[in-house]
Amino acid sequence: MSNINKDYIKDYIMEVNPKPPTFLEEMHKYAINNHIPIVDNEVAQLLNVLIKIKGAKNILEIGAAIGYSAILMSNAMEKEGIVTTIERREDMINLAKENIKKYNLENRINLLEGEAQNILPNINNRYDFIFIDAAKGKYMEFLPSCIDMLKKGGVIVSDNVLFKGMVANDDLVVRRKKTIVRRMREYLKYISDNPILETSILPVGDGVAISYKKEEK
Ligand code: SAH
Ligand code: MG
């Protein structure tokens, strides 16, 4: 049972909204079989639509894992556009590299290896779309650099912000996740109250926040 949406709603959406995209089926299967936490199909489709609406050309992702969402986002931009993605785990980095190569996207996806907290302040680039999908307790640490690097009119999508419903309901919080839940609540409050952002929180997948940057600081 999902603690975010009624199962019948999710099942229905999955039935009418075809997924995973066929070209990603093999990677999708691999991720499911190996318990790699790739984006939900509904979140994948939301990213696809948002990237097209925005006409994004320069995307930053925190948390590549095997490269599934990076490849998906690269595909959403069609012919042009670069995805820069950050990953710290060596096993994931190797799999991501293999997958990027397999899809011939070496020129379109740029993989940065290491801890995002260390890498972000050293990136000298600006993005029109940023996808945060890494350690849930660290979103608040990632955010200042992300806001700086985001162009005016740009979008930050934060994944897993409702974390199995725990963020919305204390009764669901398991003890060892208490800190993550507290930090995620602080994060959601921060991005909701920040005067330069306009944020919408959606109960899609594991919870997604979409933030629009209204002005430069
Ligand atoms: N976006 C991917 C899934 C990412 S899973 C997809 O949907 O296909 C989260 C990944 O973030 C994991 O592989 C984990 O190793 C990485 N990660 C977590 N915290 C990180 C950090 N602080 N710096 C870099 N990578 C991190
Ligand atoms: Mg996620």
Side-chain angles (χ1 to χ4, degrees), residues 47-60:
L47 288 172
N48 192 13
V49 171
L50 288 173
I51 287 166
K52 288 184 192 302
I53 291 173
K54 173 72 199 141
K57 292 278 176 282
N58 209 7
I59 298 180
L60 175 68

Side-chain angles (χ1 to χ4, degrees), residues 37-39 61 63-65 68-69 87-89 114-117 133-135:
I38 57 166
V39 281
E61 172 181 71
Y68 182 81
S69 53
E87 178 54 55
R88 68 177 173 193
R89 265 177 62 174
E115 290 286 337
Q117 303 90 293
D133 189 23

Side-chain angles (χ1 to χ4, degrees), residues 143-215:
L143 192 66
S145 314
C146 289
I147 292 180
D148 283 348
M149 286 188 282
L150 190 67
K151 291 180 194 160
K152 182 180 172 184
V155 176
I156 298 176
V157 174
S158 314
D159 195 29
N160 306 97
V161 296
L162 297 176
F163 194 20
K164 302 183 197 309
M166 287 189 264
V167 173
N169 185 344
D170 280 335
D171 294 345
L172 298 172
V173 180
V174 294
R175 185 169 261 254
R176 59 179 204 291
K177 301 293 185 195
K178 262 191 160 162
T179 306
I180 290 180
V181 168
R182 180 175 48 76
R183 290 187 181 161
M184 194 56 93
R185 286 176 179 161
E186 285 165 10
Y187 179 74
L188 291 178
K189 185 91 183 86
Y190 185 85
I191 57 175
S192 298
D193 292 348
N194 191 313
I196 72 164
L197 300 177
E198 202 68 75
T199 292
S200 168
I201 302 168
L202 304 176
V204 175
D206 195 27
V208 170
I210 303 173
S211 307
Y212 173 81
K213 183 170 171 178
K214 291 187 281 191
E215 55 198 78

Side-chain angles (χ1 to χ4, degrees), residues 34-160:
N34 293 282
H35 309 287
I36 294 158
I38 57 166
V39 281
D40 272 45
N41 290 332
E42 301 145 85
V43 176
Q45 187 58 5
L46 180 63
L47 288 172
N48 192 13
V49 171
L50 288 173
I51 287 166
K52 288 184 192 302
I53 291 173
K54 173 72 199 141
K57 292 278 176 282
N58 209 7
I59 298 180
L60 175 68
E61 172 181 71
I62 309 177
I66 62 170
Y68 182 81
S69 53
I71 291 172
L72 183 137
M73 293 192 290
S74 175
N75 184 65
M77 292 188 291
E78 292 162 14
K79 297 259 174 294
E80 286 171 70
I82 303 284
V83 177
T84 298
T85 182
I86 306 174
E87 178 54 55
R88 68 177 173 193
R89 265 177 62 174
E90 206 177 324
D91 54 345
M92 292 296 140
I93 290 169
N94 291 331
L95 288 164
K97 279 185 184 160
E98 266 177 44
N99 286 320
I100 292 166
K101 192 157 183 238
K102 206 189 283 176
Y103 285 91
N104 274 318
L105 290 169
E106 292 118 310
N107 298 328
R108 305 265 318 270
I109 301 178
N110 174 15
L111 181 63
L112 305 179
E113 306 175 17
E115 290 286 337
Q117 303 90 293
N118 304 334
I119 292 175
L120 289 168
N122 297 314
I123 298 180
N124 188 13
N125 206 340
R126 301 204 82 198
Y127 299 93
D128 43 29
F129 194 95
I130 300 180
F131 181 47
I132 306 181
D133 189 23
K136 290 178 271 293
K138 295 271 160 58
Y139 283 18
M140 207 54 213
E141 274 179 59
F142 303 149
L143 192 66
S145 314
C146 289
I147 292 180
D148 283 348
M149 286 188 282
L150 190 67
K151 291 180 194 160
K152 182 180 172 184
V155 176
I156 298 176
V157 174
S158 314
D159 195 29
N160 306 97

